[in-house]
Amino acid sequence: MRISGPLSREIAHKILHFNPTPRHAHFTDFHDQDSRLIDQGIALFFPSPNSFTGEDVLELQGHGGYFILDFMLNEAIKAGARLARPGEFSERSFLNGKIDLAQAEAIADLIESSSEQAARSAMRTLQGDFSRLIYSLCASIVDLRVYIEAAIDFSEEEIDFLTEGKTAESLKSIIDQLDSILLQAQQGALLREGMSVVIAGKPNAGKSSLLNALAGKDSAIVTDIAGTTRDTLIERINIDGMPLHITDTAGLRESDDLVEKEGIRRALQAIETADRILLVVDSCQDNVKPESLQEYLVGLGFLKIGTAIDPGRVTIIQNKIDKTNLEGGVHTNRDENDNAITTVHISAKNKTGLSLLRSHLKDCMGFQSAGEGGFIARRRHLDALEHARTCLVQADCQLLGNGAAELIAEDLRHAHQYLGEITGEFSTDDLLGKIFSSFCVGK
């Protein structure tokens, strides 16, 4: 049980009956308000500002069990504490300057990580690797802003600071620096969020067999009866650290069965929002070519979604090649609109071609196995970096077009502000509330 705040020392005395030595582990008794023994355990006291939250912090480590823990919580509340809001300890740590916003978010990302690589990357963000890159980039922007402001102040002098070359070189260097961070952040976001993949196709094409093969276990029921799958089934796996959220769906066909019709509706709904659609085709019955893909999708009822499906999101899976003359492999061709369509020949039953499919899925998202320098990132970090890049490119265009120095300075200011949102240098109460409300209680 962790208690943070100015009453921590007073509560410690009420429960322990003595004042604990700072940063010293005490094996001691825990008491209620009537001095009766509740439990025995370890007591640790961390005085401010040398604690996680930057406040006085008391930690009590007792025996497990719902009743004992609930009893201890009630006694702490009677002594003057209250239950923490989700993420409140991390929020206080941020507000008291112990960690920045990116590090605070990394705590939740570390807890929720779905692979070893994601956990290691979240830990690097928590240790400040991502933040240091952002601070370095902001420092470069500030230096350039100072230089531009000087050009504005001395605009009547004979020397033109903006056209003598240093400004253009500095701005290009900053954009290159940001591009490098953005690329790493995109990989970090993939590690955190992964890719949503929907397996779709006609009944009995082998969709559930493919799900089981990718998951490495019998998650879905597989039979020769058409329409066995009537609802969406989601499995979470990872490929070299990249999380995949794979959804098996009901076979797409016309049906009068109310349950199957609802399953088909849910399948179309999942298809609409997926990052990648694996269109599974029984190669014993169909051999779908890229040039006929659109026609095949229309026949399956994809247009019932209400929006056109981007063929670039579709990978054709020619399944059951163990029963045909098709050879395993990955083939990319162009459809009638010059879209690149990839076809993967596999046998889900024999697991032929699955390694090629996994590599293809990584390529679809531009994922590269991160080295030791990778860090975790969120969608809001990517948005901030992309907005900052837009401002910097705009400033570069102003510079090339001999635009006003004031406009260049304003673009640089906006870029700096967007980057500050990542670390919390510039943030709103609404943003903080949204971020920390997603944390689990006690963090």
Side-chain angles (χ1 to χ4, degrees), residues 165-238:
K166 180 179 177 181
T167 303
E169 288 178 11
S170 298
L171 190 51
K172 184 182 183 305
S173 175
I174 289 170
I175 293 174
D176 289 345
Q177 192 179 346
L178 189 147
D179 284 342
S180 174
I181 297 171
L182 181 57
L183 182 61
Q184 294 181 68
Q186 287 168 340
Q187 295 297 307
L190 280 176
L191 275 175
R192 180 181 183 272
E193 299 170 6
M195 175 171 65
S196 65
V197 177
V198 167
I199 302 174
K202 292 180 180 179
N204 265 11
K207 301 184 298 299
S208 296
S209 296
L210 178 57
L211 174 70
N212 291 343
L214 288 171
K217 60 183 180 180
D218 293 334
S219 299
I221 298 172
V222 177
T223 73
D224 292 330
I225 303 171
T228 301
T229 302
R230 294 190 168 202
D231 200 354
T232 54
L233 175 64
I234 300 176
E235 270 293 334
R236 291 173 175 82
I237 65 171
N238 74 77

Side-chain angles (χ1 to χ4, degrees), residues 375-443:
F375 54 81
I376 210 78
R378 295 186 170 202
R379 168 47 56 186
R380 78 169 195 91
H381 302 152
L382 295 183
D383 289 342
L385 287 167
E386 287 164 357
H387 284 311
R389 190 183 192 284
T390 299
C391 293
L392 293 173
V393 170
Q394 209 164 274
D396 191 43
C397 291
Q398 291 280 359
L399 186 62
L400 292 174
N402 295 319
E406 288 84 355
L407 295 177
I408 298 173
E410 186 67 3
D411 286 331
L412 292 175
R413 186 183 71 81
H414 284 303
H416 186 194
Q417 189 163 340
Y418 280 122
L419 294 173
E421 290 178 0
I422 294 175
T423 57
E425 182 183 354
F426 304 108
S427 58
T428 64
D429 290 340
D430 287 343
L431 175 64
L432 297 182
K434 184 177 179 181
I435 289 172
F436 289 108
S437 65
S438 66
F439 282 43
C440 58
V441 174
K443 295 297 176 187

